[in-house]
Amino acid sequence: MNGLLITTIVLGVLMAAFGVVMVWALLNYTDQKNNVDGKIASAVADARRAQSEEDDAKFAEREKEPYDRFTGPDDLGRVEFNYPKTWSVYIAKDGRSGGYEAYLNPVKVPPVTTSQQFALRVRVEERTYESVVRSYESRVQRGDLRSSAVTVSGYSGTRLDGKFSNDITGAMVLFKVRDKTLVVTTDAKIFQNDFDKIILKSLSFNP
């Protein structure tokens, strides 16, 4: 009897331990499965989001075409270039009272301020090319701007990339137009691709 009782107790303890192990294993399996399912769902959601963003970007690029053509005054070098048809144009100064200023931006052009970013600024300044280039030398020396040579439509000029102010980080090209200076600028890196591949590639003027 004592042997049978001991055997029964031992078997009971083993069965209880086996039950505990089985419950632990089941809970661990369920937890791991939930984690894996969650990771799969998260990966699928990320992939769908990335695909949606890629599709939106492609659609936005297609919407820019066919490009419109910008043409400035003949007596100020007749500056011309292509720009996305989704952009609007605002002429702030038409050159009749000295200087020329045009602003381009997607959808609509916001009020013109020194801190406002624009997709594109076009200016014909009533200053010599050399003096305009010199006005940025201090920023180049400080390292805020990087200066390099640029050639557009066979004409040489200066390109500046970097921080122009606390609000504006972008790119600018300067060209000599007679006794004046053509200044074309983009105020944010988001417009850099359009600036390089659309604006500058199609830019022309009478020097």
Side-chain angles (χ1 to χ4, degrees), residues 127-144:
R127 293 190 293 163
T128 64
Y129 170 78
E130 292 76 15
S131 66
V132 175
V133 171
R134 279 197 303 270
S135 68
Y136 291 99
E137 284 182 352
S138 61
R139 287 188 174 276
V140 173
Q141 292 170 357
R142 286 202 306 266
D144 293 339

Side-chain angles (χ1 to χ4, degrees), residues 183-200:
V183 183
V184 184
T185 310
T186 185
D187 294 342
K189 291 182 179 179
I190 191 174
F191 302 116
Q192 190 84 49
N193 190 60
D194 293 330
F195 184 74
D196 291 331
K197 296 185 178 181
I198 301 176
I199 309 300
L200 295 188

Side-chain angles (χ1 to χ4, degrees), residues 35 46 68 71 98 100 104 107 120-121 126 155 157 167 181:
N35 286 339
D46 289 343
D68 286 336
T71 303
Y100 181 84
L104 292 83
V107 184
L120 195 71
R121 299 173 186 244
E126 299 280 332
Y155 299 108
D167 303 293
T181 306

Side-chain angles (χ1 to χ4, degrees), residues 108-127:
K108 66 178 182 179
V109 179
V112 177
T113 65
T114 56
S115 60
Q116 177 63 54
Q117 295 181 347
F118 294 93
L120 195 71
R121 299 173 186 244
V122 181
R123 305 195 313 272
V124 178
E125 295 198 11
E126 299 280 332
R127 293 190 293 163

Side-chain angles (χ1 to χ4, degrees), residues 6-154:
I6 292 172
T7 300
T8 301
I9 292 172
V10 170
L11 288 174
V13 170
L14 291 175
M15 289 294 291
F18 179 75
V20 170
V21 171
M22 288 297 294
V23 171
W24 175 84
L26 179 61
L27 291 174
N28 188 56
Y29 168 77
T30 302
D31 182 62
Q32 291 296 323
K33 182 176 183 301
N34 289 339
N35 286 339
V36 171
D37 289 346
K39 290 178 180 178
I40 292 174
S42 178
V44 170
D46 289 343
R48 287 176 176 172
R49 183 165 51 252
Q51 184 63 51
S52 177
E53 291 174 353
E54 182 180 348
D55 291 343
D56 289 345
K58 289 180 179 178
F59 176 77
E61 287 300 315
R62 288 195 301 269
E63 280 295 288
K64 294 176 181 178
E65 300 178 357
Y67 301 133
D68 286 336
R69 187 72 176 169
F70 178 95
T71 303
D74 288 341
D75 57 347
L76 292 176
R78 192 177 176 82
V79 179
E80 293 188 80
F81 55 83
N82 295 334
Y83 67 92
K85 69 180 178 63
T86 52
W87 289 13
S88 296
V89 180
Y90 168 63
I91 307 298
K93 292 183 179 180
D94 59 10
R96 287 179 293 185
S97 58
Y100 181 84
E101 289 184 13
Y103 298 84
L104 292 83
N105 210 63
V107 184
K108 66 178 182 179
V109 179
V112 177
T113 65
T114 56
S115 60
Q116 177 63 54
Q117 295 181 347
F118 294 93
L120 195 71
R121 299 173 186 244
V122 181
R123 305 195 313 272
V124 178
E125 295 198 11
E126 299 280 332
R127 293 190 293 163
T128 64
Y129 170 78
E130 292 76 15
S131 66
V132 175
V133 171
R134 279 197 303 270
S135 68
Y136 291 99
E137 284 182 352
S138 61
R139 287 188 174 276
V140 173
Q141 292 170 357
R142 286 202 306 266
D144 293 339
L145 296 175
R146 183 178 69 258
S147 177
S148 60
V150 63
T151 301
V152 172
S153 299

